[in-house]
Amino acid sequence: MNWRGVWAIYKFEMHRFRRTLWTGLAVPVITTSLYFVVFGSAIGGRMTEIGGVPYGAFIVPGLMMLSLFTESIFNGSFGIHMPRFTGTIYEILSAPLSAFETVLGYVGAAATKGLTVALVILATAHLFVPLTIEHPVLMLLYLALVALTFCMFGFIIGVWAKGFEQLQVIPLLIVTPLTFLGGAFYSIDMLPPTWRQITLFNPVVYLINGFRWTFFGTADVAFGTALVATFAFALACLAGIWWIFRTGYRLKA
Amino acid sequence: MNEPILSIRGLRKAYKSGTEALKAVDLDIHRGEIFALLGPNGAGKTTLISIVCGIVTATDGVVLVDGRNWRDDYRHARTRIGLVPQELTTDAFEPVLNTVSFSRELFGKPKNSAYVEQILRDLTLWDKRHTIMKELSGGMKRRVMIAKALAHEPDILFLDEPTAGVDVELRKDMWALVRRLRERGVTIILTTHYIEEAEEMADRVGIIRLGELILVEEKNALMQKLGRKELHLELAEPLTAVPAVLDEWDLKLNDGGTHLTYTFDGKAERTGIPSLLAAMRDLGIGFKDLETKTSSLEDIFVDLIHGGRIA
Ligand SMILES: Nc1ncnc2c1ncn2[C@@H]1O[C@H](COP(=O)(O)OP(=O)(O)O)[C@@H](O)[C@H]1O
Ligand SMILES: [Mg+2]
C-alpha cells in the first residue's frame, strides 16, 4: 500500500475544503435553521406528531440525509473532475497508486466533509428541538456508509461528466427530487395507497428510513430492508468504479 | 550493467478516433544517456511517453523498466520514472512548495525538506516557494513542473517538449540542469521538434514520423552518415555573378559576392571539389581561404522528413 500517496490526495482535498471552510459550514447551519423556521414552526404547529415522534425531530434525519447526498455527490465528483479538467490528472495516473488507493484518497476526503456537514446539521437542529438518538453508534455507522456510497457515486459522476454543468445534472434532476419525494419531510404512510406503492420504488426511501430508524427506533420500512438496499447501492457504485479503472473509461485515452 | 534501462517492444496505439498514433515501435534506452526523440507535430512522441508513464493505454506491446514489465510491476516502474508533460497544467491555488511536496508524497517518498529545497534552488524557485501557481509566469510554471517531476528522485526522466515556448534564459538553465542530472546518473528522454536541441543535448537521437521510429542513431554517427557538407570559399575578388561554366556545381554567391558556397554529399566517392577548384583556376578566380562544414542535424532532419533518404 502506498499510504503516503493516499494521504497526499486526502490532505490535498481537505486543504481545498479548508479554503472555503466558513461558507462550507455556514450554508448547512443557515439552511437547517430556515427549515426549522418554515417547517418546524409554520407547518409543524399543525402536524404535531408522526408515529409518535414530534414533527420537528422527525425531519432531522431527512435534513441530514438531504445535505449528505448533495455534499457527498458534489465533493466526490468535483475532486476527480477538477484534475481531469485542468489536466493535472496526469500526475495521479503516473503515480505508483492502485485504483483502490486513488479512490480512497478522494472518496475518503469527500466523505469526511459530508459527515462533518451532516453532524453540523445535527448540532444546529439540536438547538431547535430536543432530540434523543436511540442507536447512536448505528446512526454514525449508517451515516458513514451512506457518505462513502454517495461519494463513490459522486466519483463516478465526476469521471463521467464532460463539463461542470453535467456535474450538477444528476444531483439536481434526480437525487434532490427523489429525496423530497422519498419521505425526507413526511412519512410515506401519510400518502394515498397507490402513491405509497410507487414511492417504494424510490431507493431514497430506504436510505432515509433506515437512518430515521437509528434515531427513533421506528420507520416506514424495516431497518434490515433499508440496510440491504444501502449495501446494494454501495456495491453498485463499487462495481462502477472498478469498471472505470479496468477500462480506463474517460480517465485514460 | 549493459541491459537497457528501458526497453520498448512492439508498442502500438490506435486511439478510439481511429488514429494510429504508434505502429509497433521498438526502442531501447541506455542507462544514463540523453535520448532525443525527434519528430514533427503529431508524430506520436507524446503518445509514446504517455504509454510508458501509464497515462495512455497501449493497444499492444510491452515496456520493460529494468527488465520488469511496466504494467505488472507498475509501482516499480512509476517510482523510477518522472514526467514533465508537454502541457502546462497546475493547481492554480497551490503554493510552489506545497505542490512540489505533494508530488513527492504522492509517489510514496518520505518527507525530505532538504532535498526539495535543493531542487527548488536548482531551478531558481526557492524565492517563489510561497507564491501560488496562478501568479507565476509561464516559464516559472514550467520550472515547477520540472521540480514536481524530480520530487520523488526518479532515475528516468521524460521531458516532453521542454523548451516549447520557453525563453532563452530558461532554455539554458534547463540544459544545464539536464546535464547535471545526467552526471548524477539520471537517464533522460526528451522530445522535441527543435533540431538544435537534439543536436546540442542528445547522445542518441530517434526520429519518429507518423507513428514509426524511422531511425535511431548515435548523434555523431547520424551527423556523419547523413551529413551533407558545405565548402565555403572566401574569394580574392568579389564576383557579380557565378560564371555559367560553373553551373554544374550549383554554386551560391553570398556576402556581396565575396563568398562562394558549394554543397556536396560528404559520403560520396567523388565530391566534385578538385574539378571545381581546377575550373575556377582556369577562370582565374582566386580565393583567400576555404573551409568545409558538416551541415546541422536540422538539415538531416528536414532531409528525412521531406526527402525520405531513409524510409
Ligand atoms: N487523446 C487522443 N485521442 C485521439 N487522437 C489522439 C489523442 N492524442 C493524440 N492523438 C493523435 O495521435 C497522433 C499522435 O499525437 P501525439 O502523440 O500527441 O504526437 P506528438 O507528441 O509527436 O506531436 C496525432 O495524430 C494526434 O492527433
Ligand atoms: Mg507532443
Side-chain angles (χ1 to χ4, degrees), chain A residues 35 39 55 58 62-63 65-66 69 171-209 212 220-221:
Chain A
Y35 271 106
F39 285 123
Y55 186 69
F58 179 86
L63 271 179
M65 280 284 135
L66 180 59
F69 294 164
L172 282 179
L173 291 185
I174 301 177
V175 178
T176 308
L178 284 182
T179 310
F180 275 92
L181 297 173
F185 304 115
Y186 56 86
S187 160
I188 61 170
D189 286 339
M190 296 155 72
L191 298 171
T194 340
W195 256 117
R196 191 180 181 281
Q197 285 308 313
I198 294 171
T199 305
L200 285 176
F201 287 100
N202 177 354
V204 177
V205 168
Y206 300 91
L207 299 176
I208 290 179
N209 277 290
R212 189 173 282 142
D220 296 343
V221 296

Side-chain angles (χ1 to χ4, degrees), chain B residues 24-209:
Chain B
V25 168
D26 293 322
L27 176 64
D28 283 339
I29 302 292
H30 306 327
R31 209 167 293 275
E33 73 174 338
I34 299 178
F35 186 90
L37 195 58
L38 190 58
N41 269 327
K45 304 181 294 295
T46 299
T47 302
L48 181 75
I49 289 184
S50 301
I51 292 177
V52 176
C53 294
I55 295 164
V56 165
T57 319
T59 307
D60 211 346
V62 290
V63 178
L64 302 177
V65 179
D66 257 337
R68 289 155 76 170
N69 184 298
W70 92 128
R71 232 177 335 214
D72 303 339
D73 243 342
Y74 69 94
R75 284 191 206 269
H76 165 257
R78 294 180 187 184
T79 308
R80 305 276 308 269
I81 294 174
L83 164 67
V84 183
Q86 185 173 351
E87 305 289 335
L88 280 177
T89 59
T90 54
D91 294 302
F93 297 102
E94 291 293 311
V96 171
L97 184 59
N98 288 27
T99 199
V100 175
S101 307
F102 169 81
S103 300
R104 184 176 171 88
E105 206 173 6
L106 190 69
F107 278 71
K109 285 280 161 99
K111 202 173 157 72
N112 183 343
S113 312
Y115 177 76
V116 170
E117 177 174 344
Q118 190 54 51
I119 297 178
L120 293 183
R121 286 192 188 280
D122 282 353
L123 287 156
T124 53
L125 284 168
W126 184 244
D127 293 340
K128 301 259 183 205
R129 64 191 178 282
H130 300 305
T131 308
I132 63 169
M133 294 301 296
K134 73 173 189 145
E135 285 167 6
L136 294 180
S137 67
M140 280 295 178
K141 283 189 185 133
R142 178 77 65 182
R143 288 171 198 254
V144 176
M145 305 221 21
I146 299 174
K148 281 167 78 68
L150 293 174
H152 66 280
E153 301 169 58
D155 55 5
I156 305 170
L157 181 68
F158 284 96
L159 296 160
D160 198 356
E161 307 212 9
T163 53
V166 146
D167 59 39
V168 181
E169 191 196 355
L170 177 50
R171 191 179 294 207
K172 274 195 192 140
D173 283 4
M174 196 117 71
W175 294 151
L177 177 76
V178 165
R179 291 203 175 94
R180 278 205 303 278
L181 287 170
R182 203 250 305 258
E183 277 159 27
R184 268 187 248 158
V186 178
T187 306
I188 292 151
I189 299 114
L190 59 94
T191 74
T192 179
H193 50 242
Y194 296 128
I195 292 77
E196 312 81 47
E197 232 158 67
E199 187 170 6
E200 197 184 328
M201 296 301 306
D203 300 312
R204 286 197 309 148
V205 179
I207 295 175
I208 185 170
R209 181 179 57 176

Side-chain angles (χ1 to χ4, degrees), chain A residues 33 64 73 81 142 149 205 211:
Chain A
S33 308
M64 289 171 72
I73 293 179
H81 191 74
Y142 197 83
T149 306
V205 168
F211 191 51

Side-chain angles (χ1 to χ4, degrees), chain A residues 85-125:
Chain A
F85 176 77
T86 61
T88 53
I89 188 132
Y90 84 85
E91 198 174 24
I92 305 288
L93 293 176
S94 65
L97 284 166
S98 66
F100 176 72
E101 289 157 352
T102 308
V103 174
L104 192 63
Y106 282 110
V107 165
T112 307
K113 168 98 188 283
L115 281 175
T116 310
V117 168
L119 293 176
V120 165
I121 290 176
L122 181 62
T124 313

